[in-house]
Amino acid sequence: MRLNLRSSSGFTLLELAIVLFVLTLLVGRFALPLAAQREARQVRQAEAEMMEIRAALLGYAVLYGHLPCPDVNGGGEAGANCATGGEGGLPYKTLGLARGDDPWGKSWRYRVDRNFANIPIRFDTAFADSLQIYNLYNEKLSTDEERPVFILISAGPNGRLDGDNAVASDRYQSGAPAKDFDDLVFWLSRPVLFHHLLMAGRVN
């Protein structure tokens, strides 16, 4: 008695195994590009959200004459006083934004020079903090004369702050994605802030 190794559709078990193996390879081949495309979309979304947050912060400064303090309680509202400086979450509710997390579900990080928050900004307002931005090659991207007035950070796809951004200090890093760095960092300089405040008649 001979065994019939063909399926009802005419394929042998060996042929079916080969087809399944090829399908597995094809799925694996396309899964990575799809993941890369999804991550690229999220990065573009984060960059667009950064511009929205920038506009909200500038709008707040024009309306009140100063920048908001960070959210230190996790409720989305600006702290009552940031005279001691420091970093916290984005005060998205204070800014009138719908959410305070980035496309990867992590809270935006926000740092502001304390002399530009809580008190009216003047043309002679000087920096209180020594905020500086460096690239991944330890080259300074900001200057001693014109340091950031605020810094906005997304932890990026890996969900953690990398490099100098993971350390509580006045030094931050920005750069193209690398093996151990995928943070998205935006900062605003004092001249840009003054330009917007001057156009609105908010500085003297």
Side-chain angles (χ1 to χ4, degrees):
M1 180 177 178
R2 296 181 61 183
L3 293 175
N4 183 6
L5 296 180
R6 288 189 172 273
S7 67
S8 60
S9 60
F11 284 97
T12 66
L13 294 177
L14 178 60
E15 288 169 337
L16 285 173
I18 292 174
V19 169
L20 290 173
F21 177 71
V22 171
L23 287 175
T24 301
L25 289 179
L26 289 174
V27 170
R29 180 178 179 183
F30 288 108
L32 183 59
L34 289 174
Q37 290 175 19
R38 182 174 63 252
E39 183 174 307
R41 285 196 304 271
Q42 289 173 318
V43 168
R44 290 194 298 270
Q45 180 183 344
E47 291 171 344
E49 289 179 9
M50 279 183 160
M51 292 301 99
E52 181 183 4
I53 294 168
R54 172 189 184 272
L57 286 166
L58 286 171
Y60 184 97
V62 166
L63 185 61
Y64 296 103
H66 60 83
L67 290 164
C69 293
D71 167 21
V72 294
N73 297 318
E77 298 181 2
N81 190 301
C82 50
T84 58
E87 178 184 296
L90 179 72
Y92 67 96
K93 290 182 180 177
T94 299
L95 295 171
L97 299 173
R99 49 185 286 183
D101 55 344
D102 64 18
W104 297 277
K106 299 294 183 180
S107 297
W108 287 98
R109 303 301 297 167
Y110 170 66
R111 175 75 186 269
V112 62
D113 184 292
R114 61 185 183 272
N115 272 7
F116 290 84
N118 273 348
I119 57 176
I121 298 170
R122 301 169 49 93
F123 271 125
D124 59 356
T125 298
F127 295 102
D129 302 324
S130 300
L131 303 181
Q132 292 288 2
I133 308 290
Y134 289 79
N135 64 19
L136 303 186
Y137 303 99
N138 203 35
E139 299 167 334
K140 193 180 291 185
L141 300 178
S142 51
T143 68
D144 290 334
E145 293 76 23
E146 292 302 339
R147 301 193 288 273
V149 291
F150 74 75
I151 301 169
L152 182 68
I153 306 174
S154 164
N158 69 14
R160 67 173 187 273
L161 296 176
D162 300 318
D164 291 339
N165 301 331
V167 182
S169 72
D170 291 339
R171 177 186 171 112
Y172 293 83
Q173 278 185 297
S174 177
K179 179 182 178 182
D180 296 315
F181 187 94
D182 65 2
D183 293 357
L184 283 76
V185 181
F186 176 84
W187 68 96
L188 192 78
S189 67
R190 181 171 59 173
V192 174
L193 176 63
F194 277 176
H195 169 73
H196 284 80
L197 293 178
L198 180 62
M199 293 297 291
R202 294 294 299 187
V203 289
N204 52 49

